[in-house]
Amino acid sequence: MSTRIQLAGELPTLRALGVEEAEELFRPGGNPDQRGAVLEGDPGGRSTVRFPLPGTPDAGGRLNGRPGEVGTGWVVLSRWCRASLFELVRSRFTAPRSASLAEREWNLYCHLLGHGVGVPRPLAVGARGQGLFSRDSFLVTRELGGFEPLKEWAGRERDPEHRRRAAVALGLLLANVVRAGVLLPRLSVEDLGVKPESRDDVGGSCDAHLPSVPGRLKIRHLPGVAILGVRGGLVRKTLGPKEVHAMLSHLLEDARSKGLVDPGEARRIAALTVRGGSDRRRLWQALR
């Protein structure tokens, strides 16, 4: 069976991930490292495993080998086994055109990174099969250090100023997604992460995962925010108002139903998403 593998530039071989051969990444239920853990599975044939890179210390500080070319830390392996024909047709005939679901997500992550959107960095992608579609595929991404699920952060954080800055950061992140022409119709709070601010970091510098803003407006004191999942994503030349509204409505309804945002925070996120790219006065007012 035909197999194709693509690696990020800093990854010379799969051994840099602690993997001897690609079959370890394709095999359903397989775990490349004994310290790895299964994160999720779904009826669509996708499963997710988190495991450490070589040289990453364990909980007791012990090393499991020498660090490789990509350093230490954790990665996330997503596998698709016998993916649904409907999703494969959609992946093949809508942008970014891809023969497998893993390659679709690889292309979406690369596109978003190129437009300054904080997402996990893709390290390796593979697919096997011949013809128009590859039903079996995998994607390895680097886990974002210091980030936690937005759902957990928002459920715990009660400081109104921290919450205000997080709402601004999220609105700006989504504005960058819109400017990149990426539609994420299934975006939910499960797909978002935040890097919490230190309690004594009020005067600190911007985090590397802050969204970029056009013009000379300087943003300070915002937490890092990132998109951790791009399920169902599409790339357009431009997004229409109805598409942006539908994406925002889906996300904010999900957040409100779980008690994670109040009406004021939802309005701020929506306003910055829709107008953040062009209305600098509104941006300045939101950041004051």
Side-chain angles (χ1 to χ4, degrees):
M1 183 178 293
S2 175
T3 299
R4 57 186 180 275
I5 305 291
Q6 183 174 350
L7 306 177
E10 67 267 33
L11 206 72
T13 67
L14 288 175
R15 287 189 176 89
L17 300 175
V19 175
E20 291 298 320
E21 55 184 31
E23 181 59 29
E24 295 180 56
L25 300 174
F26 281 110
R27 187 184 306 121
N31 197 329
D33 189 280
Q34 61 181 0
R35 293 183 291 164
V38 176
L39 298 182
E40 64 176 347
D42 63 46
R46 178 176 183 161
S47 61
T48 307
V49 176
R50 176 180 181 264
F51 67 93
L53 290 166
T56 301
D58 62 18
R62 296 179 296 273
L63 302 180
N64 69 331
R66 297 179 60 183
E69 292 83 355
V70 291
T72 59
W74 291 73
V75 295
V76 175
L77 164 64
S78 296
R79 294 187 181 98
W80 287 262
C81 180
R82 309 300 295 170
S84 77
L85 183 60
F86 173 81
E87 292 289 350
L88 286 168
V89 169
R90 183 175 180 273
S91 176
R92 188 65 173 177
F93 296 108
T94 61
R97 296 177 184 270
S98 310
S100 71
L101 299 189
E103 289 164 316
R104 174 78 162 204
E105 293 206 359
W106 168 283
N107 291 330
L108 283 165
Y109 280 135
C110 290
H111 183 83
L112 288 167
L113 281 170
H115 286 79
V117 179
V119 294
R121 185 169 296 278
L123 296 177
V125 66
R128 61 186 179 188
Q130 297 177 330
L132 281 176
F133 314 117
S134 294
R135 300 190 70 179
D136 296 338
S137 58
F138 73 81
L139 174 67
V140 179
T141 57
R142 181 183 284 278
E143 186 176 79
L144 293 176
F147 279 73
E148 65 177 284
L150 176 66
K151 181 178 179 180
E152 294 180 8
W153 178 88
R156 183 189 69 248
E157 181 60 69
R158 290 293 176 262
D159 186 309
E161 184 60 19
H162 281 211
R163 292 184 65 93
R164 184 184 72 86
R165 291 196 293 269
V168 170
L170 178 54
L172 296 179
L173 176 80
L174 295 175
N176 274 0
V177 172
V178 172
R179 283 195 295 272
V182 174
L183 177 65
L184 299 172
R186 304 179 197 172
L187 186 66
S188 72
V189 293
E190 309 291 343
D191 301 313
L192 296 170
V194 60
K195 191 171 187 178
E197 299 173 271
S198 168
R199 294 292 170 177
D200 56 0
D201 191 31
V202 177
S205 60
C206 290
D207 186 88
H209 288 82
L210 281 177
S212 61
V213 180
R216 297 183 178 180
L217 182 63
K218 185 176 182 181
I219 301 177
R220 297 180 299 173
H221 317 327
L222 297 183
V225 288
I227 292 176
L228 308 179
V230 290
R231 296 169 298 167
L234 300 162
V235 175
R236 307 271 201 232
K237 289 184 178 180
T238 58
L239 297 187
K242 290 184 178 179
E243 291 177 315
V244 175
H245 180 267
M247 180 169 66
L248 272 172
S249 296
H250 184 273
L251 172 62
L252 295 177
E253 282 299 324
D254 181 50
R256 282 196 293 260
S257 69
K258 295 172 180 174
L260 301 179
V261 298
D262 62 32
E265 291 165 347
R267 286 193 297 269
R268 177 165 304 197
I269 293 167
L272 286 169
T273 300
V274 173
R275 303 180 64 182
S278 59
D279 193 332
R280 297 182 187 175
R281 181 180 179 183
R282 193 180 188 94
L283 270 173
W284 176 249
Q285 290 174 343
L287 292 167
R288 291 185 63 181

